[in-house]
Amino acid sequence: MKFSETDIINTVIAGTAGQGVITLKRLIEFAAQKANVDIILGSEMHGLAQREGAITSHTRYQKKAFNDPRKNLQSPLICYGDADLFICLEPVETLRRGVFASHKTSFVINKRTIPGVMITADLEEYPSLEKIKEILHGYSEQVYMMNATELSLNHFNQNQQVNLIMLGFAIATGKLPFIELEHYEEVIKEWLRNPDYNIKALHIGLEEGQKIIKNS
Amino acid sequence: MPNKDNRFINQEGKVLMLGNEAVVRGCLEAGIGYVAQYPGTPTSDIGETFQKILREQPDLREYLVHHWAINEAVASSECAGAAWTGCRALNPMKHVGLNVASDALSVIALNGPNPGAMVIVVGADPGSLGSHQEQNERFYTWMLHFPCFEPHTPQECKDFTKLAFELSEKYDTVFEIRTSTRSAHSRGFVELEPIKKGKVKGQFERNIPKYNSLPPYAINNHIRLYERIEKIRENIPELGINRIISGSNKIGIITSGMPFGYTMEALNQLNLNDVPVLKLGMIYPLNYGEITNFIKNLDTVVIIEELEPFLEVKIGEIAQKEGIQTKIIGKKYFPKHNEFSTGLIATNLAKIFDKTPRIEMNNAIEYFNSYKEIIPSRFPTFCAGCPERATLYAILKATNHLENTVVCGDIGCFVMSFFPPQESSDLIICMSGGLSAAIGMSTKTDQKVVAFIGDSTFLHTGMAPLAEAVGYNSNVLLFIFENSWTAMTGHQDDVLRFLINQGFSIEKICKSIGVPWLHVEDSYNPKHLISSIEEALEEKGLKVIIIRRECALQAHRWRMQQIRKIEVEGKKVQRTYYHITGCQMCYECARILSCPAIRKTEEDGYETMKIDDDRCVRCGVCYEICPNTAIHKSIIDALEVEVPFREI
């Protein structure tokens, strides 16, 4: 899909507390700034959502503003059906935010499940990954899954690079146009601890992501 | 990672900021001298940002003081005191914090903040995204007369804050910046202007009529307050803070804050690009001329605002007084509850303008509704190892699942007690409202009455109802969760921490106030706690059980730091593991303790519970309570250094 510079690019990022949803969102926004984007607006959740809760963030940018302000990006929240990209650090959270998706949405999903307390108590059922994929195919064909947690554990011996791997995976879809890889790398160096680890994770996600997308 | 955040140092440039960060930047550009607040979403990170700046730029301490106050009313009076020496003071709070602060603010507004300036930031929460309710606190601006700005973008958060300080000083009036959970935590571009140094020291000048709003001066100050508000009202057009997006349609819109953005995008979606829109940057007071000129040539004006109709009522009042016939609609179409969205506004504008909403939007909603039943719930819950979760377990066991027992909940992490599967709190009012309700309830029922309070809430407003409970010897069992942190709002380095470092003890306070029955317990020893609860519930009169155990999040962080430090020195550390074999699937750990680190799995074709090693913090409570002794403890490298949780 080809984007024009005046298009509004909409990304939903979903996951659970402590997975790095907000960090991932900030990286996209600060990288968009490096890419000289005219308008950036994004909304994140703080506070109550921390306690094992479901976390979602919206981030939106528009490379070139229209002269007519009525046509420009004005709100940090995406409208129903308008997301170009879903980055999901936990599978079932994709379904929870599905109302923002449509036929144009690409989904990148980490396969590692984090059961809520009603699942661990065995009082509710967690749908299978196949079922989740089947439902999402009702929106669009571009549903991609990766075991980013396993990749992070294998490469870094910790799960803290999952969000950077998923960012690389997201870049592989081409749904974050006008932002170049070096913009992300600059921002990682400026804002994160262990930039070498995180840049490596970004590249792993990108390369693995390209393979997954090509083979699907 | 940067050593210093340049966004709060640079004198110019375009940077990305959250709304709250932009408020802080606006304060720095306005020459701020004093900040006081009690933490509360969505305003906590204003204080956290000030703390960060003071850490990174200690030079600012010369003129900038930041306090985490003990409660909101205290914070407001602190700010007034500072302003009365001539400095500029900021007082952030959440919407329900304004209820607590209003007692102080009602008088401060009468007196006026001069010779200094005072700005309050009130974080509204339509949709109750981070609060126990979504009250529409805008009516306070009318009742107490705070001129109120409502920003939409981070740029406006900064600009409005700066302007509010100037006007507050000029008109001797407390100004309000009304943010919301959305605007406070939205990121966007902000153009920086130079930072101005605040006042280092001032002087309080005696002025008995101004600072004593009592008879005979109370009435004069009320008159003076009206004079100030009327002057501000007249001057609104000069501020350039309200703006019109012009259009030829005979139906127009008046809106403010976050709904403005949703409205503009909804209009664009519906191809309604000829609709005139008045965006109010200032929602109280309103300038009669500005409103009249906008609405007088329209057939209909639609007021788009979240929660109860505030603007609709005030604009209706102006139209009625000026004899304008324009139809004013708002809450006839838009809900009085919950947060708005572009989709909701587009749907309702489509009805008003007789348009069809976009098919993609309706398809997305319809398809989502077709499968949403399958999505498992994900409640916020207590962290693995939380001492509050273990306490709820003990209460459930000691009372045979709350048989003939009422639990009066309170604000703190344990506000989540009512969620399944524990469902162990029956009611919630406000900070320290649980104990107060319990005092009343215990006189009118023979049920066992239990109440909760946390250590930060105990300081906030909890000692007053405790004194009453002692005075009347109320038949209540009170749990005080002494976890040594203001945990729910994010472990701020607040006055609770300072007090703890100075030897503060809730136990000593309880003893000196005369609590007749007092136990100090550790919920990591659940059997002992259960028998203590059983004993307490046999007694008449007031019983207090202090649960002394550090917040598991902080305790686990501290412990992991210690372990890393020891390992860096090349030494080995003793490791503890909990694992399950011979599980009888009784669900004691998963449904009654309901630890999120334990889940059901299958091993060799048999169902069993399993502990997720990466989520377990080694509190050992499941090991203590398993009725079938199926949870086992292994210590590896037992002869090496042991790193237990720290004592508090």
Side-chain angles (χ1 to χ4, degrees), chain B residues 447-459:
Chain B
Q447 290 162 295
K448 295 164 191 163
V449 181
V450 173
F452 292 160
I453 198 163
D455 42 9
S456 186
T457 309
F458 183 75
L459 292 174

Side-chain angles (χ1 to χ4, degrees), chain B residues 389-402:
Chain B
R389 175 201 302 289
T391 306
L392 300 184
Y393 169 83
I395 294 170
L396 289 169
K397 297 305 283 186
T399 61
N400 190 23
H401 292 264
L402 305 183

